[in-house]
Amino acid sequence: MANFTPVSAAIGGALIGLSAVLLMLSTGRIAGISGIFSGLLNLRGEDKGWRIAFLAGLMLAPVIAGWIGHGMATPALPANWAVIVAAGLLVGFGTRLGGGCTSGHGICGVARLSPRSVAATAIFMVVAIVTVAVTRHVLGG
Amino acid sequence: MWIIAPLLCGLVFGAGLLISGMVQPTKVLGFLDIFGAWDPSLLVVMVAALAVSVPGFMLADRSARPWFGGQYFRPGKSGIDLPLVTGAAMFGVGWGLVGLCPGPALESLATLSPGIIVFVVAMAAGMMAHDAWQQSRLTAQRSRELASAADG
């Protein structure tokens, strides 16, 4: 557990929870990033303003962090482009089919004590753990 | 001015992902890798987020309207069905493959990393493929219903 960072994890987690609560209280919306983003991908015009504003804020965070000297490191991704594309397609299709991701089901849904979200969260956690176990320890990636 | 609220919420969410380190796939994979050098940080993130959001959502449940008008959009809680199970499993495979879920992926667009851009484009394509598939299923169902109505 050499990489365990409980203090920053607790502060960051509390901010994520606070954001979800504030979005619900202010605009009545669930802070589910897959749902917020996918709502921008159709051509119908309604209901886009708050989505664009939320995602703009999300992307502004690393920019502001950079201004105050805490620039974000470029995320480390697999060298294999096919893996990146396959993962993106699975995340996109899967979150639409399952109706949410780590934020919508994992934080908001679980906090609302939704059985659907608890089930979804348990499934994607276990499947992701198995996927990492297979790619890292069975296939030895 | 209501648009400031979702902008600030996005900013706070992004700050949370940055501070917790969950914007980095290596950090997320460290949590998912329970057979390796396990890093429980993501679990602490979830618990801390829930410690704030459980009472917060209870508060929201008690108020009739959001601050800036309109209504509450609350997804249904019951009905654990095949799409939910299949979708969550597909998402789990994709998440485990690279350690990116939608929030950190979109936030990381700010780094202009080519890999992130490719991931987000693929994610958007996956979402649109799902919606197109749903649409075609609905259309097919409707035309079947029309045909049987005509027969009857």
Side-chain angles (χ1 to χ4, degrees):
Chain A
M1 292 206 283
N3 302 316
F4 187 34
T5 50
V7 177
S8 56
I11 297 169
L15 286 175
I16 292 168
L18 180 70
S19 162
V21 170
L22 287 179
L23 189 71
M24 179 53 91
L25 285 172
S26 63
T27 54
R29 297 292 184 156
I30 289 281
I33 313 293
S34 58
I36 294 175
F37 179 60
S38 67
L40 289 177
L41 296 175
N42 58 54
L43 293 173
R44 272 166 288 138
E46 83 271 20
D47 186 35
K48 291 211 168 31
W50 73 275
R51 297 173 191 272
I52 294 169
F54 185 94
L55 294 179
L58 184 69
M59 288 177 220
L60 205 57
V63 177
I64 294 176
W67 291 342
I68 58 172
H70 294 277
M72 184 191 152
T74 303
L77 293 174
N80 189 337
W81 289 95
V83 174
I84 297 177
V85 170
L89 288 170
L90 282 164
V91 169
F93 197 97
T95 52
R96 284 301 286 151
L97 186 61
C101 59
T102 19
S103 49
H105 278 314
I107 307 283
C108 300
V110 172
R112 294 172 65 235
L113 309 176
S114 154
R116 260 177 76 79
S117 291
V118 173
T121 305
I123 292 166
F124 64 64
M125 284 277 182
V126 169
V127 171
I129 286 168
V130 171
T131 303
V132 171
V134 169
T135 52
R136 284 198 175 175
H137 302 293
V138 179
L139 304 174
Chain B
M1 287 315 282
W2 65 272
I3 205 84
I4 297 292
L7 182 81
L8 281 177
C9 289
L11 201 58
V12 173
F13 200 102
L17 287 175
L18 277 177
I19 292 170
S20 64
M22 293 306 141
V23 78
Q24 295 297 342
T26 44
K27 194 78 181 152
V28 173
L29 292 174
F31 168 77
L32 295 173
D33 189 8
I34 57 171
F35 301 108
W38 191 52
D39 172 5
S41 301
L42 191 147
L43 194 64
V44 176
V45 173
M46 291 277 295
V47 170
L50 291 173
V52 175
S53 55
V54 168
F57 280 119
M58 281 177 171
L59 199 71
D61 276 343
R62 274 194 227 140
S63 76
R65 288 192 174 283
W67 298 337
F68 298 106
Q71 58 180 61
Y72 283 113
F73 293 85
R74 295 193 179 96
K77 295 181 180 181
S78 61
I80 299 169
D81 49 19
L82 190 62
L84 182 88
V85 172
T86 318
M90 288 176 74
F91 167 47
V93 174
W95 191 34
L97 278 177
V98 297
L100 276 176
C101 52
L106 291 168
E107 179 167 15
S108 301
L109 280 177
T111 66
L112 302 176
S113 148
I116 293 289
I117 295 170
V118 168
F119 180 90
V120 170
V121 169
M123 181 172 86
M127 289 172 166
M128 289 192 282
H130 169 271
D131 292 359
W133 170 66
Q134 281 293 349
Q135 198 57 47
S136 70
R137 269 180 35 159
L138 276 176
T139 313
Q141 195 183 340
R142 219 170 286 141
S143 56
R144 265 201 307 277
E145 278 166 14
L146 279 177
S148 62
D151 291 343

